[in-house]
Amino acid sequence: MSSVVKYASISIALLSVFQVTNSIAADAKNMNIKLATTTSTYHSGLLDYLLPKFEKESGYHVGVLAAGTGKSLKMGENGDVDLVMTHAPKAEAYFVEQGFGVLPRKLMYNDFIVVGPKSDPAAIFGTKDVISAYKAIATSNSTFISRGDDSGTNKKEKILWAQTKIEPNFGGYKAIGQGMGPTLNMANELQAYTMTDRGTWLAYQTKLDLKVAVEGDKKLFNPYQVILVNPSRYPTINYDGAKALSDWLVTPKAQQYINDFKLAGQQLFVASAE
């Protein structure tokens, strides 16, 4: 065999190995899905319960980035993730309208509650009117801990304060720029009021010296959607994997899983796919 033929054979063999290696790497990459979601779905334990079932059935692996709705949508806008699971309807509509997201789907809902110290300095325990409760907190200058992190919870809180016609700048109001868990912990330390999603509250309540102050107001309804990042804007995302997860989440089986998930004997989320 001539040296030219020998080197050519080696080059072809190396090229084949390189192509196979790249193909395996590409396949492995395509089996990874990046999901940006809220701290409420993360801290409640729902995703730890739900996603392994999808992974077992599909072979995909889902990497979760829990950062609050605002930051999750920003990751979607930047093409850093493949899909988002969030709970801020106006921000989600803008996300889709601007061409960052496609195929928005209703997934589930739960509700927000206001919790506070057992001493109840604003005298709001038992009320079902969150607007009057917020007014009482402000006028009594009680301590209120806000997430202040542009999350879905924070966005909802701002909407409620706007309806009170009171600027949340009274002396007891503290915005801390943290997730729901740390916010609850700080409210506990300062014996303050705060607004939380019910799921995170149920996950934390046994560790806290706080009680539910306000619940049941329709204004506290909290719907979640799952939205795919637009592949025409970001062709390198794993759209097929993201769609597989989105498709699975709205199946009757997955919706039943969502309904079955409980903490402290209480159902946290109500499936709402259409």
Side-chain angles (χ1 to χ4, degrees):
M1 180 184 293
S2 70
S3 60
V4 173
V5 173
K6 180 179 179 181
Y7 287 132
S9 299
I10 292 172
S11 297
I12 291 170
L14 289 174
L15 179 60
S16 297
V17 171
F18 178 75
Q19 289 173 334
V20 170
T21 301
N22 277 357
S23 175
I24 292 173
D27 289 342
K29 181 179 180 182
N30 287 338
M31 294 309 292
N32 291 317
I33 302 167
K34 290 181 286 187
L35 167 67
T37 189
T38 70
T39 56
S40 58
T41 53
Y42 177 76
H43 286 307
S44 69
L46 174 67
L47 296 183
D48 288 337
Y49 164 80
L50 200 59
L51 293 180
K53 301 178 189 301
F54 166 74
E55 292 174 336
K56 184 177 180 180
E57 292 182 23
S58 68
Y60 282 103
H61 171 73
V62 184
V64 177
L65 293 87
T69 288
K71 292 177 182 177
S72 293
L73 291 174
K74 181 58 67 176
M75 282 190 273
E77 288 181 16
N78 294 336
D80 295 329
V81 294
D82 305 311
L83 74 167
V84 299
M85 183 188 296
T86 51
H87 61 121
K90 288 185 179 179
E92 291 157 2
Y94 182 81
F95 180 74
V96 173
E97 288 165 4
Q98 296 301 304
F100 296 112
V102 296
L103 197 62
R105 284 167 157 167
K106 293 180 181 178
L107 180 62
M108 60 191 181
Y109 66 86
N110 65 0
D111 64 340
F112 293 111
I113 55 177
V114 178
V115 299
K118 295 173 184 177
S119 60
D120 192 21
I124 62 171
F125 274 27
T127 180
K128 295 189 179 299
D129 183 349
V130 67
I131 302 305
S132 66
Y134 271 31
K135 288 179 179 177
I137 291 170
T139 55
S140 64
N141 199 27
S142 299
T143 306
F144 184 97
I145 307 299
S146 168
R147 285 180 59 164
D149 63 349
D150 197 36
S151 61
T153 304
N154 186 220
K155 291 177 186 292
K156 169 67 82 169
E157 181 211 314
K158 289 178 179 177
I159 290 171
L160 295 175
W161 279 116
Q163 292 178 36
T164 68
K165 310 297 183 185
I166 297 173
E167 284 292 328
N169 56 8
F170 54 96
Y173 185 86
K174 303 179 188 302
I176 65 171
Q178 297 289 326
M180 198 67 256
T183 300
L184 280 167
N185 285 331
M186 182 170 285
N188 188 60
E189 291 171 11
L190 299 179
Q191 284 296 282
Y193 296 100
T194 192
M195 189 178 80
T196 175
D197 65 283
R198 189 179 293 274
T200 308
W201 165 251
L202 290 174
Y204 276 72
Q205 64 176 340
T206 58
K207 309 170 189 175
L208 305 173
D209 188 27
L210 301 171
K211 290 184 65 177
V212 175
V214 184
E215 63 181 336
D217 191 330
K218 291 181 179 179
K219 293 185 179 69
L220 294 171
F221 178 73
N222 183 30
Y224 289 77
Q225 285 195 103
V226 59
I227 308 172
L228 308 184
V229 173
N230 191 344
S232 65
R233 185 179 287 267
Y234 296 107
T236 60
I237 66 165
N238 187 1
Y239 179 78
D240 290 340
K243 188 172 186 300
L245 175 55
S246 176
D247 288 347
W248 183 84
L249 286 168
V250 299
T251 61
K253 179 193 291 186
Q255 290 280 287
Q256 189 61 51
Y257 288 148
I258 291 171
N259 283 334
D260 290 344
F261 180 63
K262 294 181 180 179
L263 271 181
Q266 295 188 48
Q267 181 177 343
L268 268 66
F269 299 92
V270 178
S272 61
E274 297 176 343

